[in-house]
Amino acid sequence: IWVARPFKEYTDRYDAIINLAGNRSVKDLRSVLAPTGTLVMVGGSGGSWTMGYGTTIRALVRNLLTKQTLTTLISKPNAEDLGVLADMLAAGDITPAIDRTFTLDETVDALEHVGSRHTSGKSVVTV
């Protein structure tokens, strides 16, 4: 799910959530997760001493204390897979979710936009 409103406003529960940005709290994500649902954390955020993986570490520790499954996914891109994605993009089989496009001169605005955590897709800086 992509949460566009406060978590407390959601009444549905989801069997699986993939948190790509790592910028939502484990508590908030678990609040919309079904009692035996699965939360997959991709990427990291939270704390310099944890090298940006504070939220992920907290989820893994909590995994020991809940019926929900809290786990991580770490990917290792490779040329073959990226080639398949490029072919799918070229064929129109997949479409990236682009929130906003900025010019190179607007890079500061782009960073502020992403930092506001109100994006609904990728922010792109064109050169």
Side-chain angles (χ1 to χ4, degrees):
I1 65 169
W2 178 78
V3 178
R5 57 187 193 258
F7 280 87
K8 64 184 176 186
E9 293 180 13
Y10 281 83
T11 56
D12 292 335
R13 296 296 172 257
Y14 299 90
D15 294 326
I17 298 173
I18 301 173
N19 184 30
L20 296 176
N23 60 1
R24 304 289 183 183
S25 75
V26 173
K27 179 182 176 183
D28 282 347
L29 292 165
R30 288 187 62 223
S31 75
V32 295
L33 190 63
T36 57
T38 299
L39 168 62
V40 180
M41 308 288 290
V42 181
S45 72
S48 59
W49 71 272
T50 59
M51 297 180 287
Y53 286 91
T55 301
T56 302
I57 292 168
R58 283 188 294 283
L60 293 176
V61 169
R62 258 187 222 179
N63 189 52
L64 303 171
L65 308 170
T66 181
K67 291 182 180 181
Q68 295 169 324
T69 301
L70 313 177
T71 189
T72 64
L73 173 69
I74 299 172
S75 67
K76 183 178 177 185
N78 62 62
E80 183 180 344
D81 290 345
L82 292 174
V84 170
L85 284 175
D87 291 344
M88 292 173 75
L89 280 166
D93 294 334
I94 57 175
T95 304
I98 297 175
D99 177 62
R100 278 183 66 186
T101 302
F102 298 85
T103 66
L104 187 58
D105 292 337
E106 298 172 313
T107 300
V108 171
D109 296 332
L111 292 171
E112 288 173 354
H113 180 67
V114 171
S116 74
R117 296 186 173 177
H118 291 94
T119 59
S120 59
K122 294 297 180 184
S123 297
V124 177
V125 176
T126 58
V127 180

